[in-house]
Amino acid sequence: MRKPSKVNQTAVSDFLLLGLSEPEQQPLLFGIFLGMYLVTMVGNLLIILAIISHPHLHTPMYFFLANLSLTDICFTSASVPKMLTNIYTQSQTISYSGCLTQLYFLLMFGGLDNCLLAVMAYDRYVAICQPLHYSTAMSPQLCALMLATCWVLTNCPALMHTLLLTRVAFCAQKAIPHFYCDPTALLKLACSDTHINELMIIAMGLMFLTVPLMLIVFSYLCISWAVFGISSPGGRWKTFSTCGSHLTVVLLFYGSLMGVYLLPPSIHSAERESRAAILYMVIIPMLNPFIYSLRNRDMKEALGQLFGSGKIFFSL
């Protein structure tokens, strides 16, 4: 095992982000991603404001939806502003400290997204499969505890992985074929032993991807069993429709993640991974407010009252 030398560690002061480096497309890309970022910010802020300002939305489902919207804002803000800055200035650089900081926030908020989706699936499971116990199983105290647990479970591994990266020595080659600091791409630039870092990536993948996905799948299997036990077709549809928005987000989010991390190495490419990353880091956070509001009567009424009363302008 080679130990990183102090010279190698201090030699790397920045990295190059090459994910969106086509010069002729820079103005178009800047306009597209700026528009999507603004829509993401405004849409998710409206969801949060509507839930806060309307007491009838102060329920566990909307409590976690507001936190999901906040997480989407932070997750997108960890990468898109730097990407827009690089496009506008026609620069591809990101500082060493900036790269590690971005990586930490991407890991934390990406993991928090997964945990919140799992908790929201559990909420739907309790509401449909154990409705008589819903008020106790999803009490405000337990909801706050579950949220705090999600924050701790995502913050600690993300911080540990970032700190472990500070011990890695990087070579002169410092080009990252993405628009953000991808941990796997960073390790490929290392000149020192990265065995512990690779194990940490596997552990985080199991914690943030596999375990939440298994909980979501289990919850929906139980929900499906309960729904098909309802004799009325109309009752089955009405019950399952309460899960439609969440299930749509889950399929989009995990589908894009699997497109990045679970494809065979033989068909991996930087371009394919960048497109999938844009989907789950930019497009899905932008679509979430529309998915959760367009088919949700309570959210549509709350948003309508928010605009109609002028609260949105006062709040902003």
Side-chain angles (χ1 to χ4, degrees):
M1 179 186 300
R2 285 187 298 166
K3 295 183 179 180
S5 67
K6 187 175 181 180
V7 174
N8 281 341
Q9 272 192 307
T10 56
V12 176
S13 60
D14 54 32
F15 297 96
L16 298 176
L17 301 177
L18 306 180
L20 300 171
S21 57
E22 301 84 353
E24 67 280 358
Q25 298 179 5
Q26 296 295 298
L28 177 61
L29 290 174
F30 182 83
I32 291 175
F33 283 105
L34 177 60
M36 289 194 293
Y37 182 65
L38 292 176
V39 171
T40 301
M41 296 297 105
V42 173
N44 283 287
L45 281 174
L46 286 175
I47 293 292
I48 295 171
L49 290 173
I51 293 173
I52 291 175
S53 60
H54 290 79
H56 71 281
L57 296 181
H58 294 176
T59 64
M61 181 177 72
Y62 293 109
F63 170 74
F64 290 116
L65 176 57
N67 280 278
L68 181 67
S69 293
L70 177 61
T71 302
D72 283 340
I73 289 174
C74 298
F75 186 44
T76 303
S77 297
S79 60
V80 175
K82 179 58 180 175
M83 176 181 64
L84 291 173
T85 301
N86 283 2
I87 293 175
Y88 183 76
T89 60
Q90 297 184 356
S91 170
Q92 298 173 338
T93 61
I94 183 171
S95 67
Y96 174 82
S97 59
C99 185
L100 293 187
T101 302
Q102 184 189 74
L103 177 65
Y104 164 73
F105 285 115
L106 286 175
L107 291 174
M108 185 180 72
F109 290 116
L112 188 57
D113 244 334
N114 284 274
C115 290
L116 287 174
L117 288 174
V119 171
M120 293 172 76
Y122 173 72
D123 170 76
R124 293 297 83 205
Y125 159 75
V126 176
I128 293 174
C129 300
Q130 300 180 14
L132 298 179
H133 301 285
Y134 186 78
S135 60
T136 55
M138 299 300 293
S139 66
Q141 294 80 7
L142 288 177
C143 288
L145 179 60
M146 283 189 283
L147 178 62
T149 302
C150 289
W151 275 92
V152 172
L153 288 178
T154 54
N155 180 68
C156 292
L159 181 60
M160 186 181 301
H161 181 69
T162 305
L163 292 176
L164 285 173
L165 271 175
T166 62
R167 302 170 57 88
V168 174
F170 293 97
C171 306
Q173 172 64 29
K174 53 183 181 179
I176 301 174
H178 297 285
F179 65 91
Y180 65 100
C181 287
D182 178 71
T184 305
L186 271 176
L187 292 183
K188 291 179 181 179
L189 305 178
C191 293
S192 58
D193 183 78
T194 59
H195 182 65
I196 295 178
N197 301 80
E198 291 167 359
L199 289 177
M200 191 66 187
I201 289 179
I202 295 173
M204 291 184 70
L206 291 173
M207 180 181 295
F208 294 152
L209 294 178
T210 308
V211 173
L213 182 59
M214 289 176 62
L215 292 174
I216 291 171
V217 170
F218 176 76
S219 296
Y220 274 104
L221 286 175
C222 296
I223 289 172
S224 300
W225 183 265
V227 168
F228 285 118
I230 300 175
S231 57
S232 167
R236 285 198 296 267
W237 171 250
K238 183 178 180 180
T239 302
F240 198 74
S241 64
T242 61
C243 307
S245 299
H246 177 262
L247 190 57
T248 301
V249 172
V250 167
L251 292 175
L252 288 172
F253 188 77
Y254 280 97
S256 58
L257 283 177
M258 291 176 182
V260 175
Y261 297 108
L262 297 184
L263 287 176
S266 59
I267 60 175
H268 269 207
S269 69
E271 184 179 0
R272 183 190 297 270
E273 291 178 2
S274 291
R275 288 176 179 175
I278 289 172
L279 179 60
Y280 75 82
M281 295 174 66
V282 182
I283 297 178
I284 293 177
M286 179 187 69
L287 293 178
N288 279 354
F290 298 100
I291 294 173
Y292 279 105
S293 62
L294 289 179
R295 296 182 60 187
N296 188 313
R297 185 175 62 183
D298 292 335
M299 280 302 307
K300 285 193 290 187
E301 290 178 356
L303 289 170
Q305 293 175 17
L306 196 63
F307 280 106
S309 63
K311 289 181 181 179
I312 181 63
F313 301 105
F314 178 79
S315 300
L316 294 179

